């Protein structure tokens, strides 16, 4: 974690979001309210700090395709959550309203996913810096966050990159 993020820490609101996503009941409630498909697919947030997020997608009847591998859409959902949770922490720590939206996504699939996948994003510093920039300038910025999906043995199955668009919200008259 960079010194700036470590020194600043998470705001009370961001810490509340982080704690909610790391408890089973809190995550279920969040998914039910905001991401019901993630609840159905069985996604779990395993690690969430200002720097790193790990999200798992289980291999099972809810997430598999007819070719007996994890459906790419289930992988994309877990991958997006691993970058989106970090983005949400950064936005919650901003102190002012900031909008967040996925601008684009790219993916490569390297190995057939026939077991639980863990998507890991370690780009917290990048998204916190982007949020600080939009708050300081009022201009829209983007943050490119990468996440890697690995099988239990460490084999890389997929890589995703999400470009998050961030902009400080202007007060309405």
């Amino acid at each position: 974690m960079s010194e700036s993020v470590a020194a600043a820490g998470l705001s009370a609101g961001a810490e509340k979001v982080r704690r909610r996503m790391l408890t089973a009941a809190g995550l279920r409630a969040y998914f039910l309210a905001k991401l019901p498909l993630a609840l159905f697919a069985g996604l779990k947030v395993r690690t969430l700090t200002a720097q790193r997020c790990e999200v798992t997608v289980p291999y099972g009847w809810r997430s598999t395709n007819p070719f007996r591998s994890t459906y790419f859409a289930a992988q994309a959902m877990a991958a997006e959550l691993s970058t989106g949770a970090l983005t949400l922490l950064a936005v919650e720590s901003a102190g002012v309203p900031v909008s967040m939206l996925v601008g684009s996504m790219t993916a490569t699939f390297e190995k057939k996913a026939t077991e639980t996948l863990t998507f890991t994003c370690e780009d917290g510093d990048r998204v916190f810096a982007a949020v600080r920039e939009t708050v300081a300038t009022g201009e829209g910025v983007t943050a490119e966050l990468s996440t890697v999906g690995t099988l239990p043995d460490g084999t890389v199955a997929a890589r995703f990159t999400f470009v998050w668009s961030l902009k400080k919200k202007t007060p309405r008259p």
Side-chain angles (χ1 to χ4, degrees):
M1 183 180 327
S2 79
E3 289 180 29
S4 59
V5 172
L10 295 175
S11 70
E15 181 59 25
K16 183 178 176 183
V17 168
R18 191 187 78 77
R19 280 194 316 265
R20 180 184 310 144
M21 290 185 138
L22 290 173
T23 64
L27 187 62
R28 276 194 302 275
Y30 182 79
F31 282 167
L32 189 58
K34 306 283 186 184
L35 300 166
L37 283 176
L39 178 64
F40 180 77
L43 300 187
K44 295 203 177 5
V45 177
R46 298 293 184 194
T47 302
L48 181 56
T49 67
Q51 174 57 37
R52 176 187 174 107
C53 183
E54 291 180 353
V55 175
T56 59
V57 58
Y59 177 78
W61 69 272
R62 295 177 291 183
S63 62
T64 57
N65 61 30
F67 310 107
R68 291 185 247 169
S69 63
T70 303
Y71 184 48
F72 83 93
Q75 291 184 50
M77 193 171 13
E80 180 193 8
L81 182 59
S82 72
T83 64
L86 286 173
T87 304
L88 185 58
L89 287 184
V91 164
E92 287 291 327
S93 290
V96 297
V98 175
S99 64
M100 57 185 271
L101 180 68
V102 172
S104 67
M105 177 201 81
T106 58
T108 58
F109 301 94
E110 301 178 16
K111 174 105 171 118
K112 189 172 182 176
T114 57
E115 298 177 76
T116 296
L117 277 174
T118 301
F119 283 91
T120 304
C121 178
E122 297 181 328
D123 290 338
D125 288 342
R126 184 175 295 161
V127 73
F128 272 80
V131 168
R132 283 192 303 274
E133 182 181 341
T134 193
V135 168
T137 66
E139 298 295 318
V141 298
T142 60
E144 185 175 288
L145 307 181
S146 297
T147 185
V148 178
T150 56
L151 297 168
D153 68 0
T155 302
V156 173
R159 297 175 193 273
F160 284 78
T161 301
F162 291 87
V163 177
W164 285 91
S165 296
L166 302 157
K167 187 162 191 323
K168 180 181 173 184
K169 293 181 182 178
T170 55
R172 294 185 182 204

